[in-house]
Amino acid sequence: SERLFVEMADVMAAEGWRDAGYEFICIDDCWMAPTRDEHGRLQADPKRFPSGILKLANYVHSKGLKLGIYSDVGNKTCAGFPGSYNHYDLDAQTFASWGVDLLKFDGCNSDTLELLAEGYRRMSLALNKTGRSIVYSCEWPFYLRPFQQPNYTEIKQYCNHWRNFYDVYDSWSSIKSILDWTARHQDSIVKIAGPGGWNDPDMATLLGVFVFLSQLVIGNFGLSWDQAVTQMAMWTIMAAPLFMSNDLRHISPEAKWLLQNKEVIAINQDPLGKQGYRITKDKNFELWERPLSGRAYAMAVLNQQEIGGPQNFTFSLTFLGNGLACNPACSIRQVLPASRDWGVYSWLSSLSVEVNPTGTVLLKV
């Protein structure tokens, strides 16, 4: 309901989320009335959004935030509400007239792959035609992948970020499956990511509200503390657009500290815009790196072991940045799970990192 979004906007403005960089508050599926109006336009559910989307957008904007909304490329949304097929221009104009700042465009109920692709292209052009700056969030490659390899060059031409894999859930198995999928496909997806177009690891939402800075389930109930640290660290390494899928009115101080961590967000939002990748896997340990601006690197050591206690992973610094990251020397700072300086290391040094089960240590080199 609109009350939920008003309350969430209030919390975002008052409790540091906006200042940390989370800009968008977004409505997902089911916001619509079951039919279009007499002019063929989408309309909000009159009981749950009695004031309409324009008034809600104005309120969100008054808090220094932006509003996102949801639609679908096909005849109906995934939940069965009116889709945008054959209404792309009209719907884009409607969203712009309401002051919408982001469109999540789903891919359910499109009859053919050709219509799916045409719909994503047409909505991109329609949004641009409105003259309003609207972030375009696509699910195009996710719906293509069962049938053909997505053309990411084309997708980036039309979309600002795009979903590749299944919905994220509030569980370690879900987080782990997204990381495994990303590592397996990194050769095809990492190179296309950069300013203007991003791989989004996930775009499901658990509470009907998601907040844009894929989606962080930190602050709910399914992840341990170490697993929450892992999600924040690895989404940062993957240069994922940061969404939160949680209730900010009832969030623990620990989760709030993690989600608002300025050092982590600075790495995630690094202006170079390069996505990170896995450089080695050794039994239960994975080593990931992400090139940053200023010749720096972010590095994540992930321990996928699910039982037992902390374990050490030792590796040579010559691994990093094709041997360039620490040549001839580098300073290393731990960012997560707690921040502290590790000092200066030479190119030929080895580093030993202690990591908890299902945990991650995030470093800046």
Side-chain angles (χ1 to χ4, degrees):
S1 67
E2 65 185 45
R3 180 181 172 187
L4 171 67
F5 292 93
V6 165
E7 291 180 2
M8 211 67 75
D10 290 342
V11 172
M12 286 184 67
E15 297 188 9
W17 299 101
R18 177 191 62 199
D19 298 335
Y22 295 93
E23 293 183 283
F24 288 79
I25 181 163
C26 300
I27 310 168
D28 210 349
D29 201 351
C30 307
W31 64 269
M32 305 167 189
T35 59
R36 293 174 176 268
D37 70 12
E38 64 273 18
H39 303 292
R41 292 179 300 218
L42 293 173
Q43 51 188 344
D45 183 287
K47 292 182 179 178
R48 289 182 291 115
F49 293 88
S51 304
I53 303 300
L54 174 59
K55 186 172 180 180
L56 178 60
N58 288 339
Y59 186 84
V60 168
H61 293 156
S62 77
K63 295 292 180 177
L65 299 164
K66 298 175 181 177
L67 184 72
I69 208 163
Y70 170 102
S71 189
D72 190 283
V73 71
N75 288 302
K76 292 185 177 182
T77 71
C78 297
F81 291 87
S84 288
Y85 178 70
N86 271 342
H87 296 86
Y88 301 119
D89 286 296
L90 178 60
D91 288 356
Q93 291 161 12
T94 300
F95 297 145
S97 72
W98 288 344
V100 165
D101 305 289
L102 179 150
L103 172 64
K104 173 183 171 181
F105 208 43
D106 217 333
C108 286
N109 301 306
S110 190
D111 292 337
T112 67
L113 294 183
E114 290 73 21
L115 287 174
L116 180 85
E118 180 189 0
Y120 275 108
R121 294 187 203 104
R122 287 186 59 184
M123 181 55 86
S124 177
L125 298 174
L127 291 172
N128 285 341
K129 202 187 302 181
T130 68
R132 182 171 182 82
S133 178
I134 300 176
V135 175
Y136 188 34
S137 171
C138 301
E139 311 223 348
W140 190 352
F142 172 70
Y143 286 92
L144 275 183
R145 271 198 174 273
F147 308 101
Q148 65 186 57
Q149 173 70 20
N151 180 346
Y152 284 101
T153 302
E154 180 185 31
I155 289 168
K156 185 172 182 176
Q157 181 182 344
Y158 291 100
C159 303
N160 296 122
H161 53 93
W162 47 85
R163 172 184 168 194
N164 290 304
F165 192 55
Y166 295 117
D167 292 354
V168 67
Y169 290 96
D170 187 18
S171 72
W172 172 240
S173 61
S174 175
I175 302 300
K176 189 169 61 172
S177 68
I178 290 169
L179 294 174
D180 290 344
W181 185 94
T182 302
R184 288 198 313 272
H185 295 88
Q186 63 183 20
D187 288 347
S188 63
I189 66 172
V190 165
K191 59 191 175 186
I192 199 64
W198 310 95
N199 290 295
D200 194 326
D202 53 318
M203 287 182 57
T205 167
L206 303 176
L207 296 173
V209 52
F210 57 90
V211 183
F212 177 70
L213 176 75
S214 166
Q215 188 122 270
L216 302 164
V217 291
I218 297 161
N220 292 308
F221 304 98
L223 301 183
S224 71
W225 174 248
D226 287 303
Q227 291 161 2
V229 167
T230 289
Q231 191 189 18
M232 192 69 178
M234 297 308 299
W235 265 232
T236 292
I237 288 287
M238 292 187 292
L242 297 183
F243 290 80
M244 297 182 295
S245 184
N246 51 27
D247 190 339
L248 299 177
R249 299 166 299 182
H250 308 287
I251 192 167
S252 71
E254 296 80 11
K256 183 177 181 180
W257 173 86
L258 181 58
L259 288 163
Q260 290 190 4
N261 188 297
K262 291 181 179 178
E263 282 189 276
V264 181
I265 291 172
I267 294 172
N268 174 267
Q269 300 282 302
D270 183 78
L272 188 63
K274 286 189 174 293
Q275 180 170 336
Y277 39 83
R278 190 174 72 187
I279 55 176
T280 188
K281 179 175 172 62
D282 183 2
K283 296 179 182 176
N284 290 311
F285 278 99
E286 297 184 7
L287 181 62
W288 293 61
E289 72 174 17
R290 177 183 174 186
L292 303 175
S293 54
R295 297 175 62 195
Y297 284 82
M299 182 173 66
V301 184
L302 166 63
N303 180 6
Q304 293 239 19
Q305 179 79 22
E306 297 184 9
I307 59 172
Q311 292 182 315
N312 282 290
F313 180 64
T314 303
F315 60 95
S316 170
L317 292 177
T318 56
F319 259 117
L320 301 181
N322 291 319
L324 300 176
C326 286
N327 190 358
C330 59
S331 62
I332 297 179
R333 178 172 173 78
Q334 179 180 305
V335 179
L336 288 176
S339 60
R340 60 186 176 93
D341 287 320
W342 281 18
V344 177
Y345 291 77
S346 71
W347 181 56
L348 296 176
S349 299
S350 289
L351 200 65
S352 185
V353 183
E354 184 181 84
V355 193
N356 291 341
T358 69
T360 296
V361 172
L362 179 64
L363 305 167
K364 185 174 181 182
V365 179

